[in-house]
Every structure is written in structure tokens, then in C-alpha cells.
Amino acid sequence: MSLDATFYAFVGLILFFIVVAYFKVPGILLRSLDSRADEIRGELAEAKRLREEAQHVLADYQRKRREAEEEAKDIVAAAEREAKAIKEEARRKTEEYVERRTAFSEQKIRQAEQEAVAAVRGAAVDVAIDAARIVLEKKATPAVRSKLFSQSVDAVKSRLN
């Protein structure tokens, strides 16, 4: 039997396996792999927990967003109702103001008409008195004047009593 290189390689391989078994390398490798598997399981569980938490947070934000959108719609609707009410109130107040101003203007016009009629009547009375005075001065004699004066004084006395 000749001892060649393959024999020595085979003996080296057997010795390698004996040394590996003696130092319990497979157990160490298995424990290392098991601990790595446990770490991976823990990380997966943490990732699953974080994912579920993220889904809950997302659902909560979506619910809050819907609530905010509905609240915004309610605010817009309330603002539209308020604007409509303000517009209607402004229209009503404008109409009342126009009616008051129209009534005031009509009253001033009636008053101006009455003052104009009174002024025309006063002027007509003044003209009539002046005309009567002129006519009486030209046609009335002193005896007629004295008689008219006496009658006027008697009329004033009777009215004062």
C-alpha cells in the first residue's frame, strides 16, 4: 500500500472532522443559527406589530380626515347660509331705507306744495287788499271812509268780546 497524497488528504479530512466534533463546532453553529433565527423571528414580529400599528394610525388619520372634510362642508354650508341671511337682511334694510326716504321726500314735496299754495294765497290776499285800498282811495269820500272805519272797529270789538 502506498501512501500517496490522497491518503494524507483523507486522513486530514478525518482529523478535521474529529477536531470539529471535539470542539463541538456543530453545536456552536446550531446555537448561532438558532439565535440568528430567533432574532429574525423577533424582528419579523416587531415589523408585524409596527405594520399593524401603522395601519391603525392610518385608519385613525383617514377617519380624522373624513371628519375634518365633513366639518369643512358644514362650515361652508353655514357660511353660505349666513351670507344669504346677511344678503337678505341688507336687501330688506335697503328697501326700508328707500321706502323711508321716498316717504320723507313725498312729505317734503307735500309740505312745499302747501307752503307754495299758502304763499300764493298770501300774495293774492296782499294784492287784493292793495287793489281794494287803491279802489277805495280813488272812489271813497271822507264820509264813506269814516263809516267803514267805524264798522271795522265795531266788528273787531264784537269779535274780541
Side-chain angles (χ1 to χ4, degrees):
M1 174 165 184
S2 77
L3 297 176
D4 61 350
T6 51
F7 174 74
Y8 288 110
F10 178 70
V11 171
L13 179 66
I14 298 271
L15 283 177
F16 174 74
F17 282 133
I18 291 172
V19 170
V20 168
Y22 178 76
F23 287 111
K24 301 180 183 177
V25 173
I28 294 172
L29 286 176
L30 287 176
R31 280 193 301 276
S32 174
L33 289 175
D34 286 341
S35 67
R36 180 69 181 141
D38 289 341
E39 287 178 22
I40 291 172
R41 277 190 212 100
E43 289 176 2
L44 286 174
E46 179 70 14
K48 184 178 180 181
R49 186 187 64 78
L50 289 174
R51 180 175 178 248
E52 290 173 357
E53 184 179 326
Q55 286 176 340
H56 289 299
V57 169
L58 176 64
D60 190 41
Y61 280 121
Q62 287 175 342
R63 180 185 52 80
K64 287 181 180 179
R65 182 190 54 119
R66 283 190 303 273
E67 289 173 358
E69 286 174 354
E70 288 184 19
E71 185 177 342
K73 286 178 185 177
D74 292 343
I75 290 171
V76 168
E80 287 174 351
R81 285 191 305 270
E82 188 174 336
K84 186 176 180 181
I86 289 171
K87 179 182 171 185
E88 185 63 31
E89 179 72 16
R91 186 192 58 76
R92 186 183 57 77
K93 284 184 177 183
T94 302
E95 287 176 357
E96 289 175 0
Y97 176 76
V98 167
E99 288 176 9
R100 282 194 311 270
R101 292 300 291 175
T102 302
F104 181 70
S105 297
E106 289 174 353
Q107 181 183 1
K108 286 195 128 225
I109 290 169
R110 282 192 300 272
Q111 185 179 3
E113 286 175 353
Q114 290 171 354
E115 289 174 0
V117 167
V120 168
R121 283 184 183 162
V125 168
D126 289 343
V127 168
I129 290 173
D130 284 342
R133 183 181 51 78
I134 292 171
V135 169
L136 286 176
E137 284 177 356
K138 289 183 181 178
K139 293 188 175 183
T141 61
V144 172
R145 284 185 200 160
S146 174
K147 184 179 174 186
L148 284 175
F149 181 73
S150 297
Q151 286 175 352
S152 296
V153 170
D154 289 339
V156 169
K157 281 183 183 177
S158 69
R159 287 187 183 162
L160 289 177
N161 289 332

